Amino acid sequence: MRTYIHKLFYSLLVCLLLFSSCGAGRSLKQAEQSYARGEYFDAARHYKQAYARTSPKDRPRRAVLAYKQGDCYRRINYTLKAKAAYANAVRYHYLDTVAHFYLAEMLRKNGEYAAAIPYYENYLTYAQRLSDNRKPANIRKEVADTLASAGLASCRLAQEWKKHPTRHIVKRVPVFASRRSDYSPMYAGDDAGILYFTSTRNEAKGTDLNGITGMKSADIFHSKQNEKKQWQKPEPLASEVNSEFEDGACSFSADGKTMYFTRCRTLPDAPAYAEIYVSQRAGAEWGAPQKCVIMNDTLSSVAHPALSPAGDYLYFVSDMPGGYGGLDVWRINVTRDGWGYVDNLGPEINTSGNEMFPSFAPDGTLYFSSDGHPGMGGLDIFRAVRDTLTDKWHVENMRSPVNSPADDFGMTFEPEAPNRGFFSSNRGDARGWDHIFSFEYPEVHHVLKGLVYDKEGDALPSALVTLVGDDGTYLKINVKKDGTFTQELNPGHRYALLASCRGYLNSREEMRTENVDENRHYQLEFALASITRPVLIENIFYEFDRADLTPESAVALDELIALLNDNPSVTIELASHCDYKGNDDYNLRLSQRRAESVVRYLIKGGIDSERLTAKGYGEQQPKTVTRFTLQSAPFLKEGDVLTEEFIKNLPPEQQEICNAVNRRTEFKVLRTTYTK
């Protein structure tokens, strides 16, 4: 059923041929009739007969028949046969360079990346010279151009991904295997002891072979674990869920009592359309399924249902109008009164190719398969995370070994175990038949623990941390009430983090995780500078009674340069303050020179002079004690103003501490609208 659904959604080829040979003509007529019904397996057989009965000297006709063979084989995932057919079409100089595109696609699906590249390049070189009416009706020129560019990029990426695989452990599962296709595994809600999947094995209902796939129509099977956690021999569902038609690709509610699945009914003399059905479980039995009327469009298919973890949306795939390509991922709101609004997941998810088989990890992360995003071959599995602030999806290829040159799809995660589960793939099967594989990502945790606070020491619970990694990570992290945050990272990668909060300047940090298969913990702190009040620059030192900066000041001033580079729109006043010792006029001049020394250092460090104002205040602005001040002067209380009169009433040793607090260098933000 996977190949059935996957290939139903292109329009039909309309180029008809007349042959002098009656045998070839009969085969062609039968092929066209089977093709019109979507019975690609039968159509391929008839096209092959017509091809064999056509003289090799009739190269144009052979080219067309070879191309049509390839088209049928491609739709049912017979990639090796499709590759050979398209190669014949190219060899006989099929008039449309789209044959080069499809040959490249089949080569890529067989992992022949280097061989595929020149055919992609051939197509892209010559495609622009052909008008749209020269393109076959089953693929628009702009779509093929987009997919060819993605395929070319994929060939180069895939070679790198094979050289540098992820740490996933992937194994074929023998207990689920049959001599036919087994695919779309799915746990029944929160129950980790039962696994459902789709199969065309001999135990499936029906006796006739499907003209579309050449196999029996698919049914839903299930396997249970025994007390030793061993999977048992799969059995078909003993209910009305399975029928004489194609049934499969199921999904369950969290409690495991509601099942959505796909049914493809075969209609006489007409293409079949996929539909979604729902069944309720009462005890151990599944009730009679009911069709889900998601839309009134009877000429579009809906398939591959996936209920969101919260049960508020049903995700599905469809070729309905308003999408971005062949098959798109959509969702419909599930309400108490039935179905709500339908919306497309948008261009970050959907492409001009096919997006299929949505599913969810226990943490709510969306997974789907696509042949439109850059990938390793046919369908690749992708991970998608939605940014709650921008409402945009960040999509990441799962790479090798989860993905392969073949079709990889239908991922399900063990409940409460986001690091392991099952998926399906036709890798290693020349017939294109699917099999079920297990995956596990070894539990190695590299954890970052961070803290965001203002420079006065208060936690900033409204802060946001943006994390970007060279592994493709892009996350917006909300901090907790105490200003802390925790994020798991991948080993052996560089990350940049930007902490931001309304009313504060941004702060940036960079880090690298160790490339080790051992648990690691990392810590970062972000002390944010206020936009509305002066900010102390710690560890600024001057020569005694002079304005010259000491070398020890460089660290703090370099950090200030970095802060200004991270906030390029701000202008600041650089303020220097003295204690009450010395006369007022002298202190005022000394503080001004010291402020100017700091400004000169910042300018030398690359900061535009127009963003900087030097101001010496002498002893005119004594420090008001804050909680941060109490760390160095615990004998004071918050709100004390360190005037000369106040300080002279303290013991001598405390007087010197207060004078040191007053001798400070600060900055304050003047405006946040600077542009160069």
Side-chain angles (χ1 to χ4, degrees):
M1 184 179 73
R2 175 184 67 85
T3 54
Y4 186 166
I5 299 174
H6 188 186
K7 309 304 182 182
L8 285 178
F9 306 96
Y10 295 110
S11 58
L12 305 178
L13 292 173
V14 297
C15 181
L16 299 177
L17 297 174
L18 297 176
F19 295 93
S20 59
S21 168
C22 292
R26 283 195 300 271
S27 296
L28 177 62
K29 183 178 180 181
Q30 292 172 322
E32 298 289 354
Q33 290 173 344
S34 295
Y35 192 99
R37 294 192 295 269
E39 297 174 351
Y40 305 118
F41 180 83
D42 290 343
R45 176 166 55 86
H46 294 306
Y47 281 131
K48 183 178 180 180
Q49 291 172 352
Y51 178 87
R53 293 167 179 171
T54 300
S55 171
K57 295 181 180 180
D58 196 345
R59 299 177 67 87
R61 292 174 176 174
R62 273 211 156 195
V64 172
L65 288 170
Y67 179 85
K68 289 191 173 186
Q69 283 183 72
D71 185 62
C72 292
Y73 288 135
R74 173 177 59 82
R75 292 172 182 272
I76 59 176
N77 279 319
Y78 282 27
T79 55
L80 288 176
K81 289 185 177 182
K83 180 184 74 171
Y86 285 128
N88 283 334
V90 170
R91 179 165 62 90
Y92 282 115
H93 301 293
Y94 185 68
L95 290 177
D96 200 322
T97 55
V98 78
H100 289 251
F101 165 73
Y102 282 131
L103 177 55
E105 290 280 273
M106 296 304 102
L107 288 166
R108 182 164 67 94
K109 289 191 69 170
N110 283 283
E112 301 175 58
Y113 301 118
I117 289 175
Y119 290 103
Y120 281 125
E121 292 175 338
N122 287 347
Y123 173 79
L124 291 170
T125 299
Y126 297 109
Q128 299 301 322
R129 303 179 184 179
L130 301 174
S131 60
D132 282 350
N133 62 6
R134 294 278 303 277
K135 294 290 172 188
N138 69 333
I139 185 166
R140 301 192 314 272
K141 176 184 179 300
E142 63 269 21
V143 173
D145 292 353
T146 301
L147 294 177
S149 298
L152 188 59
S154 296
C155 287
R156 295 173 176 136
L157 285 171
Q159 294 179 78
E160 288 300 311
W161 292 343
K162 287 187 67 176
K163 292 179 183 177
H164 306 287
T166 68
R167 297 175 56 251
H168 286 92
I169 300 171
V170 173
K171 298 179 180 178
R172 184 170 168 178
V173 187
V175 70
F176 301 145
S178 71
R179 297 181 178 180
R180 294 295 185 267
S181 281
D182 307 290
Y183 55 96
S184 289
M186 185 61 60
Y187 280 101
D190 295 331
D191 189 351
I194 182 170
L195 187 77
Y196 291 75
F197 64 92
T198 308
S199 180
T200 61
R201 63 186 59 201
N202 291 332
E203 292 84 356
K205 286 185 177 181
T207 56
D208 297 333
L209 296 182
N210 192 302
I212 298 172
T213 65
M215 296 181 283
K216 295 186 68 173
S217 293
D219 278 349
I220 299 175
F221 288 71
H222 67 285
S223 175
K224 297 181 179 179
Q225 286 184 332
N226 61 19
E227 30 316 326
K228 296 181 180 180
K229 302 295 183 179
Q230 297 171 326
W231 293 105
Q232 303 301 292
K233 181 181 178 182
E235 297 178 355
L237 290 188
S239 72
E240 297 180 56
V241 168
N242 288 326
S243 70
E244 61 182 307
F245 304 117
E246 296 271 341
D247 303 297
C250 54
S251 176
F252 299 86
S253 59
D255 60 9
K257 295 181 179 179
T258 302
M259 173 174 57
Y260 295 90
F261 67 96
T262 307
R263 174 170 289 174
C264 298
R265 293 183 296 160
T266 304
L267 306 176
D269 302 320
Y273 295 94
E275 302 166 319
I276 293 175
Y277 283 72
V278 62
S279 175
Q280 304 292 335
R281 190 178 69 182
E285 298 295 326
W286 289 99
Q290 302 295 319
K291 181 180 175 180
C292 299
V293 184
I294 293 176
M295 58 183 180
N296 295 321
D297 181 4
T298 59
L299 298 179
S300 299
S301 290
V302 291
H304 306 167
L307 194 63
S308 64
D312 52 348
Y313 285 96
L314 183 70
Y315 289 68
F316 62 95
V317 303
S318 179
D319 61 337
M320 72 174 74
Y324 293 86
L327 289 172
D328 279 8
V329 181
W330 301 71
R331 69 176 187 176
I332 186 169
N333 187 224
V334 183
T335 70
R336 292 182 178 179
D337 300 323
W339 303 113
Y341 59 89
V342 176
D343 63 303
N344 188 287
L345 264 60
E348 294 91 13
I349 298 287
N350 296 312
T351 68
S352 55
N354 296 292
E355 281 66 51
M356 310 170 71
F357 298 98
S359 63
F360 292 92
D363 64 358
T365 301
L366 172 66
Y367 289 77
F368 68 97
S369 291
S370 171
D371 60 11
H373 290 280
M376 297 192 66
L379 292 171
D380 271 22
I381 298 174
F382 292 82
R383 177 177 182 267
V385 178
R386 198 164 198 167
D387 189 322
T388 56
L389 295 178
T390 64
D391 207 35
K392 300 246 185 222
W393 292 93
H394 174 68
V395 176
E396 178 186 6
N397 190 296
M398 294 293 290
R399 303 187 180 187
S400 176
V402 170
N403 289 321
S404 71
D407 288 329
D408 307 290
F409 61 98
M411 179 168 275
T412 187
F413 291 81
E414 182 179 322
E416 308 300 328
N419 66 314
R420 63 179 180 266
F422 300 95
F423 69 98
S424 42
S425 175
N426 63 356
R427 66 184 69 184
D429 195 307
R431 302 158 298 185
W433 293 349
D434 306 307
H435 306 282
I436 295 176
F437 292 76
S438 68
F439 71 90
E440 181 175 5
Y441 193 89
E443 290 190 358
V444 175
H445 302 287
H446 285 231
V447 179
L448 169 64
K449 294 184 177 181
L451 174 65
V452 185
Y453 59 96
D454 71 13
K455 285 185 175 289
E456 294 294 330
D458 295 325
L460 295 175
S462 59
L464 182 71
V465 177
T466 302
L467 184 148
V468 180
D470 63 4
D471 58 352
T473 299
Y474 181 84
L475 296 173
K476 300 281 189 181
I477 307 170
N478 293 307
V479 305
K480 300 177 181 178
K481 292 182 179 181
D482 60 356
T484 64
F485 66 92
T486 302
Q487 180 60 47
E488 188 156 349
L489 306 174
N490 293 320
H493 290 281
R494 294 182 63 87
Y495 295 92
L497 297 98
L498 185 72
S500 58
C501 186
R502 185 181 297 274
Y504 292 85
L505 298 180
N506 297 332
S507 180
R508 177 185 174 90
E509 293 285 349
E510 293 186 0
M511 60 170 294
R512 178 188 287 274
T513 54
E514 298 180 58
N515 192 20
V516 295
D517 289 337
E518 299 176 2
N519 292 340
R520 289 287 188 272
H521 289 87
Y522 309 89
Q523 290 186 327
L524 281 179
E525 293 186 0
F526 297 90
L528 303 191
S530 174
I531 293 176
T532 59
R533 62 177 184 266
V535 178
L536 176 67
I537 310 173
E538 298 185 81
N539 300 319
I540 300 296
F541 306 102
Y542 306 93
E543 299 288 349
F544 178 72
D545 207 28
R546 298 175 63 182
D548 299 321
L549 290 162
T550 67
E552 293 80 8
S553 303
V555 173
L557 291 177
D558 288 343
E559 290 177 354
L560 179 57
I561 290 172
L563 180 64
L564 291 171
N565 285 330
D566 291 336
N567 299 269
S569 65
V570 303
T571 61
I572 65 170
E573 177 189 272
L574 215 301
S576 177
H577 302 266
C578 296
D579 57 30
Y580 62 80
K581 298 176 181 179
N583 65 67
D584 293 350
D585 185 62
Y586 177 83
N587 285 339
L588 197 62
R589 292 196 308 273
L590 177 62
S591 63
Q592 181 65 34
R593 294 199 308 274
R594 286 179 170 179
E596 290 171 353
S597 293
V598 175
V599 166
R600 284 194 296 272
Y601 187 99
L602 299 180
I603 294 173
K604 187 177 180 180
I607 304 302
D608 195 323
S609 61
E610 294 184 5
R611 300 176 61 192
L612 306 169
T613 300
K615 180 68 175 178
Y617 287 94
E619 57 182 286
Q620 298 173 355
Q621 294 185 356
K623 177 69 175 178
T624 299
V625 175
T626 65
R627 279 184 289 175
F628 183 73
T629 313
L630 298 178
Q631 296 178 14
S632 58
F635 54 87
L636 300 172
K637 66 179 184 291
E638 191 172 351
D640 288 341
V641 182
L642 303 183
T643 62
E644 180 179 354
E645 181 182 3
F646 178 89
I647 293 174
K648 286 183 175 180
N649 287 323
L650 298 174
E653 63 276 10
Q654 294 181 358
Q655 289 184 26
E656 183 50 39
I657 294 173
C658 291
N659 284 327
V661 171
N662 272 335
R663 295 190 300 269
R664 66 196 190 276
T665 301
E666 298 174 329
F667 75 85
K668 65 179 180 181
V669 176
L670 298 178
R671 61 189 178 99
T672 59
T673 57
Y674 175 80
T675 57
K676 189 171 182 179

